[in-house]
Amino acid sequence: MAEINLKTLKIRVEKEIEKVKSLEELNEIFNKYLGKKGELTLVLHSLEKLPKAKRIQIGRSANELKIFLRAEFEKKSKEIKEEIHKALEEKEWLDITAPGKRPSVGHLHPLTLAKRKIEEIFQSMGFSVVEGPSMEKEWYNFDALNIPKDHPARDAWDTFYLKNGLILRTHTTPVDVRYMEKNNPPLRIIIPGACFRHEATDASHESDFYQVDGLMVDKKISVANFKAIVGEFFKRFFEKDVKFRLKPDFFPFTEPSFDIGISCLVCGGKGCSACKNSGWMEVAGAGMVHPNVFKNSKLIPRDWQGWAFGFGLERLTMLKYKINDIRLLRSGDLRFLNQF
Ligand code: DAH
């Protein structure tokens, strides 16, 4: 084991260290020379076989080399780690001064906005908001509302019949009966809810739509009360004085019956597709509660008077926001929806 060997070993290791690119490689080389069975380690182990003088001389050189090489490995390892760090910094560089991206926040649908406004106005006038099932018994949807089977009036409501014997309610009026069965007058309620009719769609009709029924029952209730409350409602809902008219109409569950027309706010009464060029928009059916409806709700007709109405929520929404086609409301078109 000559000293010269240690010198060439040193040069060899230095060269190999220089070429190293990764920590794994460096580790391999470290083991090759300084590991348990590394070349230099073996030199150190074999010292005892040498005569004393040689042992001291080579031992010193070998130990110095070992210390030197360890430092070299340490230096290289530091260099590689710094390079890795630098590469990462460049790759994951983040400009914290760049302007952020604002996530778009959702908002309420115009139908929801209108429904909430209606509820708020009627609640402030002492009305409760009530709901009922949208799958309904024929009894509540028709019979209890004084529309017997085989009566031609049923034709006015094109009905979806379900296999389970129920129907999809064609209006929210059946909830009037459901509520009066369980609650004694005096009462004031509004009933917002989904309704369904087997109908063709056009600019002012959808086959699934919303209604808001209203019902007020007390002693000595008249059409004058009705006009006052509905007038106040229109004023607050449209935030201006609105022209409206009551026209005689027919509903089996009210007597007398009328429909409420409102001067078309889309075209200002001039005539457009939303009002079918009439200048008026029919927004509700209404009337004084028919005695048979009280009877079917287990109330004594002689004791009570009441008025009721049924608004089309879509119609009110279209008038408020000047929308000229009902189909836009369910289109899901963001260009339309983002305007609200
Ligand atoms: N339910 C009727 C419809 O769908 C609207 C209506 C008319 C409701 C008169 C009422 C009412 O409560 O009194 O056409």
Side-chain angles (χ1 to χ4, degrees):
M1 191 72 51
E3 198 176 343
I4 202 81
N5 281 351
L6 289 179
K7 276 193 186 144
T8 52
L9 184 69
K10 179 175 178 243
I11 292 166
R12 204 154 22 102
V13 181
E14 275 177 330
K15 268 193 185 150
E16 283 188 38
I17 289 182
E18 207 186 304
K19 277 194 244 151
V20 158
K21 290 261 172 332
S22 72
L23 287 175
E24 291 77 21
E25 270 179 77
L26 188 68
N27 218 18
E28 255 170 50
I29 297 171
F30 180 89
N31 285 333
K32 188 166 147 198
Y33 296 103
L34 294 177
K36 258 190 188 162
K37 290 190 177 145
E39 254 179 69
L40 187 60
T41 315
L42 293 181
V43 172
L44 286 162
H45 284 335
S46 62
L47 285 177
E48 41 191 274
K49 292 179 200 142
L50 297 175
K52 194 173 174 196
K54 268 263 181 231
R55 193 190 320 153
I56 290 172
Q57 187 208 349
I58 296 183
R60 185 182 294 136
S61 307
N63 263 322
E64 274 169 12
L65 182 58
K66 184 175 154 187
I67 290 166
F68 171 80
L69 286 180
R70 272 183 182 277
E72 287 297 290
F73 276 109
E74 194 58 37
K75 209 168 89 194
K76 187 72 183 178
S77 156
K78 232 185 194 164
E79 266 173 42
I80 295 177
K81 279 182 189 158
E82 261 165 29
E83 263 166 39
I84 293 175
H85 210 88
K86 232 166 95 190
L88 261 183
E89 259 179 3
E90 259 164 46
K91 206 169 93 200
E92 297 185 355
W93 181 79
L94 198 66
D95 181 2
I96 54 166
T97 64
K101 279 192 198 138
R102 188 183 290 277
S104 60
V105 178
H107 55 85
L108 297 175
H109 190 278
L111 284 173
T112 310
L113 291 171
K115 175 173 170 271
R116 292 199 180 171
K117 183 88 189 159
I118 295 167
E119 289 174 355
E120 180 194 309
I121 295 168
F122 277 102
Q123 278 174 327
S124 80
M125 295 195 278
F127 285 72
S128 307
V129 179
V130 169
E131 288 186 348
S134 44
M135 272 199 298
E136 187 53 287
K137 290 182 178 153
E138 274 190 69
W139 163 259
Y140 286 108
N141 198 82
F142 293 123
D143 304 75
L145 292 175
N146 201 30
I147 316 168
K149 280 193 181 54
D150 307 322
H151 192 283
R154 275 204 191 192
D155 292 349
W157 292 274
D158 294 304
T159 309
F160 288 110
Y161 291 85
L162 303 174
K163 284 194 181 133
N164 61 7
L166 298 174
I167 60 166
L168 291 180
R169 70 176 171 198
T170 58
H171 47 184
T172 41
T173 319
V175 187
D176 285 5
V177 178
R178 285 182 173 275
Y179 192 80
M180 285 193 285
E181 274 180 344
K182 296 217 170 86
N183 299 274
N184 283 325
L187 52 90
R188 298 175 194 202
I189 56 169
I190 58 162
I191 309 148
C195 303
F196 309 87
R197 287 188 201 170
H198 193 268
E199 267 185 4
T201 300
D202 63 27
S204 52
H205 293 88
E206 276 276 26
S207 64
D208 82 24
F209 56 97
Y210 290 94
Q211 282 192 343
V212 183
D213 257 65
L215 175 69
M216 178 170 180
V217 179
D218 206 333
K219 312 266 179 196
K220 294 198 178 136
I221 290 291
S222 71
V223 178
N225 299 127
F226 173 76
K227 279 186 72 176
I229 288 198
V230 164
E232 177 66 15
F233 163 69
F234 284 145
K235 203 157 113 189
R236 283 163 65 180
F237 182 73
F238 294 113
E239 290 161 347
K240 59 174 153 186
D241 282 322
V242 173
K243 236 163 71 182
F244 71 99
R245 66 179 186 185
L246 303 185
K247 262 194 346 186
D249 201 343
F250 169 75
F251 297 103
F253 32 91
T254 43
E255 181 57 39
S257 304
F258 26 86
D259 85 51
I260 313 170
I262 189 172
S263 166
C264 180
L265 300 177
V266 175
C267 62
K270 285 192 219 100
C272 68
S273 65
C275 63
K276 295 215 175 93
N277 293 316
S278 70
W280 292 91
M281 208 163 178
E282 188 195 313
V283 285
M288 301 303 291
V289 179
H290 195 286
N292 285 348
V293 175
F294 280 138
K295 222 184 285 172
N296 291 332
S297 309
K298 310 202 173 67
L299 292 177
I300 300 167
R302 214 182 327 113
D303 291 350
W304 302 106
Q305 289 169 325
W307 53 250
F309 64 71
F311 278 114
L313 179 63
E314 282 80 358
R315 300 261 172 109
L316 289 181
T317 308
M318 289 165 77
L319 286 166
K320 185 168 170 65
Y321 296 115
K322 301 196 181 348
I323 299 163
N324 64 8
D325 194 320
I326 195 171
R327 290 164 293 197
L328 285 167
L329 290 167
R330 303 288 177 86
S331 63
D333 189 332
L334 289 177
R335 289 169 305 178
F336 168 72
L337 291 172
N338 282 336
Q339 297 173 49
F340 297 92

